[in-house]
């Protein structure tokens, strides 16, 4: 498979390494200085760019009938437009706030726990996420996914960055050192507390998941998620 990388930072380089190890070809590396793109050399695009560029990257790929994988966060106000564009062009698209296998299992665990805790109003849920100092958006896309999944399966109204005394989920974001991503969901009452945590040790899990998703998406049509890729139900 001939893959174009939109964004050639640390994640792009890790994806390149894993893709080549799995016998794929990196046919284009599109970054901030790229002037033109030859779409005839591309079978599929993987976008790990930045919030300001992601939507246009995805849009131009779908307009050229190139399937797209996107792991860039911070652009989701345009997600409905991407879905419409994908359907209009009979294209293929996957967005994930996090592509790692462990995190996607963590998403399922979080949803299940939220359903279990719905009837126990004495427990207040809160979240913390920690990433390296170079991460641009806060809270992380993974944290937002976790919060929205809790909201969908509980009586919480919304999430809020920082402390919250309302019926919103408080998310604390920290940017420290070289942390690859730590996410914590806590249920706390006056008598006890329960916490589930996922901690990434490196970028390889994210990159491998993105390449696996790309392999799965090639030849398909529609808008999918990592639940589809990993058959998580």
């Amino acid at each position: 498979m001939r893959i174009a990388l939109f964004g050639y930072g640390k994640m792009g380089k890790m994806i390149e390494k894993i893709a080549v190890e799995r016998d794929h070809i990196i046919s284009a590396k599109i970054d901030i200085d790229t002037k033109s793109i030859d779409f005839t050399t591309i079978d599929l695009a993987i976008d790990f760019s930045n919030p300001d560029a992601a939507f246009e990257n995805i849009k131009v790929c779908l307009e050229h009938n190139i399937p797209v994988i996107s792991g860039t966060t911070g652009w989701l106000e345009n997600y409905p437009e991407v879905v419409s564009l994908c359907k209009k062009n009979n294209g293929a698209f996957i967005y994930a706030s996090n592509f790692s296998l462990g995190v996607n299992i963590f998403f399922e665990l979080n949803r299940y726990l939220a359903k279990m805790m719905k009837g126990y109003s004495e427990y207040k849920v809160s979240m913390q996420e920690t990433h390296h100092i170079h991460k641009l958006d806060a809270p992380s896309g993974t944290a937002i996914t976790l919060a929205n999944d809790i909201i969908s399966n509980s009586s919480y109204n919304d999430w809020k960055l920082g402390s919250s005394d309302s019926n919103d989920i408080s998310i604390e974001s920290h940017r420290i050192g070289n942390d690859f991503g730590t996410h914590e969901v806590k249920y706390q009452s006056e008598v006890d507390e329960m916490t589930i945590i996922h901690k990434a040790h490196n970028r390889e899990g994210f990159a491998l998941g993105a390449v696996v998703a790309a392999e799965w998406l090639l030849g398909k049509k529609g808008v999918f998620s990592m639940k589809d890729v990993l058959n998580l139900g």
Side-chain angles (χ1 to χ4, degrees):
M1 176 167 49
R2 301 172 301 170
I3 298 173
L5 300 176
F6 282 76
Y8 195 59
K10 292 178 180 178
M11 269 300 297
K13 291 179 174 66
M14 179 62 72
I15 290 170
E16 178 183 32
K17 175 179 177 293
I18 290 175
V20 170
E21 287 173 352
R22 294 170 73 92
D23 296 325
H24 302 300
I25 298 168
I26 303 302
S27 58
K29 301 171 188 176
I30 295 95
D31 217 340
I32 191 168
D33 297 325
T34 303
K35 302 295 189 236
S36 63
I37 305 169
D38 183 0
F39 287 96
T40 65
T41 67
I42 301 170
D43 296 320
L44 183 141
I46 299 179
D47 174 76
F48 274 86
S49 54
N50 63 62
D52 294 329
F55 173 63
E56 288 301 325
N57 292 341
I58 296 164
K59 181 179 177 182
V60 73
C61 288
L62 291 174
E63 288 173 344
H64 284 83
N65 297 310
I66 304 296
V68 192
I69 303 288
S70 178
T72 306
T73 58
W75 63 274
L76 289 184
E77 66 275 8
N78 297 118
Y79 182 81
E81 188 174 345
V82 166
V83 171
S84 297
L85 187 63
C86 184
K87 292 178 180 178
K88 176 184 175 182
N89 289 279
N90 194 29
F93 176 66
I94 292 176
Y95 165 76
S97 58
N98 197 309
F99 279 94
S100 88
L101 174 60
V103 164
N104 281 278
I105 293 172
F106 191 66
F107 285 155
E108 290 298 304
L109 178 62
N110 175 63
R111 280 189 283 267
Y112 186 71
L113 182 57
K115 292 175 184 178
M116 288 180 63
M117 298 302 294
K118 186 174 182 178
Y120 299 95
S121 59
E122 62 268 32
Y123 287 89
K124 173 71 174 176
V125 67
S126 62
M127 294 173 51
Q128 289 193 52
E129 60 95 354
T130 304
H131 284 83
H132 53 82
I133 59 174
H134 303 292
K135 185 167 178 59
L136 299 176
D137 54 320
S140 67
T142 300
I144 292 172
T145 298
L146 289 165
N148 285 338
D149 284 345
I150 295 170
I151 292 162
S152 297
N153 292 286
S154 69
S155 60
Y156 286 96
N157 295 326
D158 205 346
W159 59 266
K160 180 180 178 182
L161 185 61
S163 61
S164 174
D165 295 325
S166 64
N167 196 41
D168 295 336
I169 300 170
S170 167
I171 304 177
E172 293 184 12
S173 291
H174 307 283
R175 299 293 174 261
I176 301 170
N178 295 312
D179 196 303
F180 292 105
T182 302
H183 293 85
E184 173 184 307
V185 180
K186 179 187 293 184
Y187 287 83
Q188 186 168 7
S189 74
E190 292 184 359
V191 297
D192 61 7
E193 65 183 50
M194 294 173 287
T195 304
I196 56 173
I197 298 174
H198 179 274
K199 182 175 180 62
H201 294 156
N202 53 54
R203 290 185 178 85
E204 191 165 340
F206 310 135
L208 176 60
V211 175
V212 168
E215 293 168 346
W216 183 90
L217 185 63
L218 192 66
K220 294 182 173 63
K221 300 294 183 182
V223 178
F224 303 99
S225 71
M226 283 301 285
K227 287 186 71 172
D228 300 305
V229 175
L230 300 175
N231 196 26
L232 291 174

